[in-house]
Structures are given as C-alpha cells and as structure tokens.
Amino acid sequence: MIRLLKSIRNDERGTTVMEFGLMITVFMTLLLGIFDLGQLAYTQAILNGAVQDAARSSSLESGDTTVADTKVAAMVALSAPGITVATTRISYFDFADVERPESWNDVDNSGDCNAGESYTDENGNGSWDEDVGVSGNGGAGDVVIYTVTATYDPLFPNPFMTGGSAARTLKASAVKKNQPFADQAGYGSDAGTC
C-alpha cells in the first residue's frame, strides 16, 4: 500500500492537463478582454469621426440631418453589427447661450423660477426652461450641439467577467455653428410667470 501511494505521489502524468485547465480561464479572460477593448476603442474612434462629419454636413444650408444620421449609423455598423443609434440636436442663438437658463426675475434668490416669478419665454415653448436651447438643427448662424448615443452587443462577449456579455454604450458629441445663409432668427420676448 505504501509503495502504491509513493508511486501515485511521484506520478506526473496528467499535470499538463491540470495546468492547462487552470490557465485556460485566465488566458481566455485576457484574450477576450483585449478583443473587446479593441472593438470598443475602434468603434468609439469611428463614432467620433462620423459625428464630426455629420455635424459639419448638417451645418451647411443644403444639409440634410436625416441623411447625416443615416450615414453615422452605417459607419459605426461596420465595426459593431446590430448597433442602435440615437441622435439629438439642440440649437442655440450663440455660443454664450449654451446651457443658459431663460431670463427670469429671481425674487427669492432660489436659482429656480417659482412662486409667480416672471420670466421671458426666449425659446417660445410657453414655459420657463433651465436650458434655453431648442430641439432640432436650428437655422442660419445657430450653434448646434449634435450628440449620438450608440449601443451594441460585443462581438467578443466575455463569460468569465461580470458584465462581460452586457451591451456597450458609446457617446460622441460635436458642436458646430450653422453657416450664415440667411438672417438669424432671434429669441422670443414673450413674458410669463412660473
């Protein structure tokens, strides 16, 4: 019996299989992680370039936002099949107006338009807004923030990591000023109360 135990203890047959079994998980995690990061970086680079190009073409008088959005979706689909793309455009009269609230008489110094305080409805939507921007591509000379959010399932899902198979979300933005192809429309001057 002792001789059998000594022979089993000294027997190294099968160690390669055991070592391979222990190391394959680590190796596959690293390999799939590298592939996933590569796809993420490449898709983000394509998205950034496509968004800049679409924002520029949309700022021209002849610009077509539908065609520009379709082109962005087609470009990023090359590196991430099945990707879904959502776009937004917010336009402002000037760069100084970006994320500026509509003018109001802040009687109680609260920083919010409330309790019957009067405001100027600059974007013409009938209510006070913390951001004076208007949804859409705007008109001649307007500043437009174009944002694209893209979501895709990874080509190389990693079952060995938490969230390794979850969808990835990328975002890119571009700020452009539309060409002055006509007179620029100003903000409204209607008054209201909060």
Side-chain angles (χ1 to χ4, degrees):
M1 184 63 136
I2 294 175
R3 189 179 315 179
L4 177 61
L5 291 174
K6 283 183 181 182
S7 68
I8 291 174
R9 185 183 68 193
N10 294 331
D11 190 0
E12 294 185 8
R13 289 178 295 169
T15 56
T16 305
V17 172
M18 292 298 295
E19 289 171 356
F20 177 77
L22 293 172
M23 293 305 296
I24 189 67
T25 304
V26 174
F27 177 73
M28 290 304 292
T29 300
L30 288 173
L31 188 64
L32 290 174
I34 289 169
F35 289 160
D36 186 32
L37 284 175
Q39 182 191 18
L40 181 88
Y42 184 62
T43 304
Q44 183 68 59
I46 289 175
L47 180 63
N48 290 342
V51 165
Q52 289 294 328
D53 185 51
R56 172 67 182 129
S57 67
S58 296
S59 70
L60 304 174
E61 181 179 9
S62 60
D64 186 345
T65 57
T66 304
V67 170
D69 292 347
T70 303
K71 187 176 177 183
V72 169
M75 290 296 293
V76 293
L78 295 173
S79 67
I83 196 165
T84 57
V85 176
T87 63
T88 60
R89 286 180 174 81
I90 301 176
S91 64
Y92 299 89
F93 181 77
D94 201 348
F95 285 103
D97 293 332
V98 174
E99 296 185 355
R100 177 183 64 79
E102 289 182 302
S103 301
W104 84 101
N105 184 9
D106 194 10
V107 176
D108 61 1
N109 292 322
S110 67
D112 290 322
C113 187
N114 55 26
E117 295 173 334
S118 60
Y119 69 91
T120 304
D121 188 16
E122 296 176 69
N123 61 10
N125 68 353
S127 64
W128 180 80
D129 296 297
E130 289 185 27
D131 187 347
V132 74
V134 177
S135 181
N137 201 45
D142 287 350
V143 173
V144 180
I145 299 176
Y146 176 52
T147 305
V148 176
T149 305
T151 306
Y152 70 95
D153 291 323
L155 285 176
F156 306 99
N158 194 337
F160 306 110
M161 290 178 51
T162 304
S165 300
R168 310 288 190 257
T169 300
L170 303 174
K171 194 172 189 178
S173 294
V175 180
K176 299 290 182 193
K177 187 170 179 88
N178 288 340
Q179 286 190 345
F181 49 82
D183 290 335
Q184 187 176 18
Y187 281 123
S189 59
D190 293 340
T193 56
C194 300

